[in-house]
Amino acid sequence: GQNIDQPTEMTATEGAIVQINCTYQTSGFNGLFWYQQHAGEAPTFLSYNVLDGLEEKGRFSSFLSRSKGYSYLLLKELQMKDSASYLCAVLDSNYQLIWGAGTKLIIKP
Amino acid sequence: GAVVSQHPSRVICKSGTSVKIECRSLDFQATTMFWYRQFPKQSLMLMATSNEGSKATYEQGVEKDKFLINHASLTLSTLTVTSAHPEDSSFYICSARDGNGDTEAFFGQGTRLTVV
């Protein structure tokens, strides 16, 4: 079966750094996405990785290791507005998105 | 990035009535559109995948006669919840992918459906 695992909830302090991990087992791989979703809103795109390595985009970075079936999203200089759910999703061999359950990130002052 | 417009953002309807939700790609041609529902504190659940001009492919457990999907053009897909019941109350989200090989899915704003 296909499976995406990520922690249910994480807590971090404003100004700090947090890493949200995602492991996956899917039938084929055509890339991994990270989305941010605030409560009651639709997800918004953060990053897309299809090759191994680190992609940096401002305060957010995403890393991928295809051999390990592993990705992480790194958030630096945390702000209160970063409190949200972060969804990991993998594009499988049929180009269907397989979604993780999301990680709720709580930022404390 | 590309824009997907979903309408309405919120709707309240009486039990037994039908509700139509529209999803439009504003600046690209969406060859594939996806419909999701999301219950509170849960992740997205794919309901169906629709390709322009063909019948939608429904996920297991999703009643195709209850959730009617029409993808008549490259810029518009509709989801109609027929004979709605309170248990259909949920957050419905569409996403679209263009036909140019881009793999990113662009999301609509979502529709909060409440059936009373």
Side-chain angles (χ1 to χ4, degrees):
Chain A
Q2 309 207 86
N3 196 46
I4 308 272
D5 285 318
Q6 52 182 129
T8 304
E9 186 174 297
M10 298 182 71
T11 302
T13 305
E14 188 177 16
I17 299 173
V18 71
Q19 178 175 312
I20 303 174
N21 296 324
C22 171
T23 57
Y24 62 90
Q25 292 175 310
T26 56
S27 57
F29 179 83
N30 281 299
L32 185 144
F33 293 86
W34 283 97
Y35 282 85
Q36 180 191 60
Q37 186 179 27
H38 286 99
E41 298 180 12
T44 55
F45 171 80
L46 291 178
S47 67
Y48 171 66
N49 293 66
V50 66
L51 299 177
D52 289 349
L54 185 68
E55 297 269 350
E56 297 186 73
K57 192 184 295 184
R59 294 190 298 115
F60 292 10
S61 302
S62 56
F63 171 83
L64 174 68
S65 168
R66 289 172 296 171
S67 62
K68 295 181 180 178
Y70 167 69
S71 171
Y72 68 72
L73 179 69
L74 191 72
L75 293 78
K76 303 177 184 177
E77 301 170 17
L78 286 170
Q79 301 174 9
M80 297 304 292
K81 67 178 183 179
D82 297 330
S83 292
S85 286
Y86 291 85
L87 307 175
C88 171
V90 171
L91 207 59
D92 71 8
S93 56
N94 295 318
Y95 285 90
Q96 300 293 340
L97 272 176
I98 311 301
W99 292 89
T103 298
K104 182 179 180 181
L105 178 62
I106 300 169
I107 310 296
K108 294 185 174 180
Chain B
V3 178
V4 175
S5 176
Q6 185 174 342
H7 178 81
S9 58
R10 292 178 181 272
V11 59
I12 300 173
C13 71
K14 291 184 177 180
S15 188
T17 61
S18 295
V19 173
K20 180 184 284 188
I21 303 170
E22 291 188 350
C23 182
R24 293 180 184 274
S25 57
L26 298 187
D27 52 1
F28 68 100
Q29 293 184 328
T31 54
T32 306
M33 285 191 172
F34 305 89
W35 287 96
Y36 296 88
R37 67 186 298 182
Q38 186 177 34
F39 291 105
K41 300 183 181 179
Q42 295 186 27
S43 189
L44 303 171
M45 291 180 56
L46 180 65
M47 299 174 66
T49 303
S50 72
N51 292 297
E52 184 266 338
S54 61
K55 290 184 178 180
T57 301
Y58 289 80
E59 295 299 300
Q60 193 172 10
V62 178
E63 299 175 61
K64 61 180 180 181
D65 294 331
K66 179 170 183 61
F67 299 99
L68 302 178
I69 292 173
N70 185 288
H71 192 164
S73 78
L74 285 171
T75 59
L76 173 65
S77 177
T78 60
L79 167 67
T80 302
V81 182
T82 63
S83 187
H85 289 102
E87 56 264 32
D88 298 325
S89 299
S90 186
F91 191 50
Y92 293 87
I93 310 173
C94 71
S95 74
R97 211 156 62 202
D98 68 22
N100 294 327
D102 291 337
T103 52
E104 179 182 345
F106 303 97
F107 284 88
Q109 302 94 323
T111 298
R112 173 73 59 193
L113 171 64
T114 303
V115 184
V116 298

